[in-house]
Amino acid sequence: MGSTRGSASVASILLVLGVLGVVVAGVTVWPLVAASGQTQVAERRAQAVVVEPRPCGARAAGDVVEVQIDGQTRRATFDGCGHTRGQRLDVMVPARASGDLRVTPVKTQQTELEALAWRTHIVLITLAAVAGGGYGILLGRR
């Protein structure tokens, strides 16, 4: 009789752990799935020269820079302020540059989607390790 009861408790523990694992995986992956549907603007790296510096403040629109795009020099608004005239900056330019051009500083950090994917991988690897360890403990008792 004791072995039947033990098997039932092991099965219920495995069921609870399985459901918990699915819930944790779902909660972890859901923001990644939701964020992947957002459209991202394709950008390329370029070098710009500040031609009209602007002071930083509440109404600052950003420095005016000149950037080389497909062999043409174009003026753009830089998403930053307070640089000196003639200063060279590494910038990100939209792949399809048309109309009023706005450039941003080069991104050295991961995008939000990449950071979210990294966290998801860590949580899922941890979950797999815990599940594997639990399964190993169950097999070791037999």
Side-chain angles (χ1 to χ4, degrees), residues 9-32:
S9 66
V10 169
S12 62
I13 290 172
L14 286 176
L15 179 66
V16 169
L17 286 176
V19 169
L20 181 64
V22 169
V23 169
V24 168
V27 168
T28 304
V29 173
W30 179 254
L32 182 63

Side-chain angles (χ1 to χ4, degrees), residues 60-73:
D63 294 339
V64 177
V65 296
E66 284 185 345
V67 62
Q68 288 280 342
I69 301 173
D70 298 328
Q72 291 182 310
T73 303

Side-chain angles (χ1 to χ4, degrees), residues 3-55:
S3 64
T4 310
R5 187 173 180 197
S7 297
S9 66
V10 169
S12 62
I13 290 172
L14 286 176
L15 179 66
V16 169
L17 286 176
V19 169
L20 181 64
V22 169
V23 169
V24 168
V27 168
T28 304
V29 173
W30 179 254
L32 182 63
V33 171
S36 67
Q38 298 173 356
T39 57
Q40 301 228 349
V41 177
E43 295 178 314
R44 58 184 166 178
R45 196 176 181 139
Q47 192 168 58
V49 178
V50 177
V51 292
E52 186 181 324
R54 295 196 177 141

Side-chain angles (χ1 to χ4, degrees), residues 12-129:
S12 62
I13 290 172
L14 286 176
L15 179 66
V16 169
L17 286 176
V19 169
L20 181 64
V22 169
V23 169
V24 168
V27 168
T28 304
V29 173
W30 179 254
L32 182 63
V33 171
S36 67
Q38 298 173 356
T39 57
Q40 301 228 349
V41 177
E43 295 178 314
R44 58 184 166 178
R45 196 176 181 139
Q47 192 168 58
V49 178
V50 177
V51 292
E52 186 181 324
R54 295 196 177 141
C56 297
R59 297 176 47 183
D63 294 339
V64 177
V65 296
E66 284 185 345
V67 62
Q68 288 280 342
I69 301 173
D70 298 328
Q72 291 182 310
T73 303
R74 295 209 31 207
R75 284 195 173 217
T77 304
F78 179 67
D79 190 17
C81 57
H83 296 88
T84 58
R85 187 180 309 272
Q87 183 177 357
R88 295 190 180 280
L89 305 168
D90 289 327
V91 296
M92 298 301 286
V93 179
R96 296 180 185 246
S98 61
D100 289 337
L101 188 60
R102 186 164 187 86
V103 297
T104 59
V106 170
K107 296 170 182 71
T108 56
Q109 298 177 349
Q110 294 179 331
T111 65
E112 186 177 335
L113 187 60
E114 291 169 339
L116 192 57
W118 176 254
R119 279 183 266 150
T120 302
H121 292 142
I122 295 300
V123 168
L124 292 177
I125 287 170
T126 303
L127 184 63

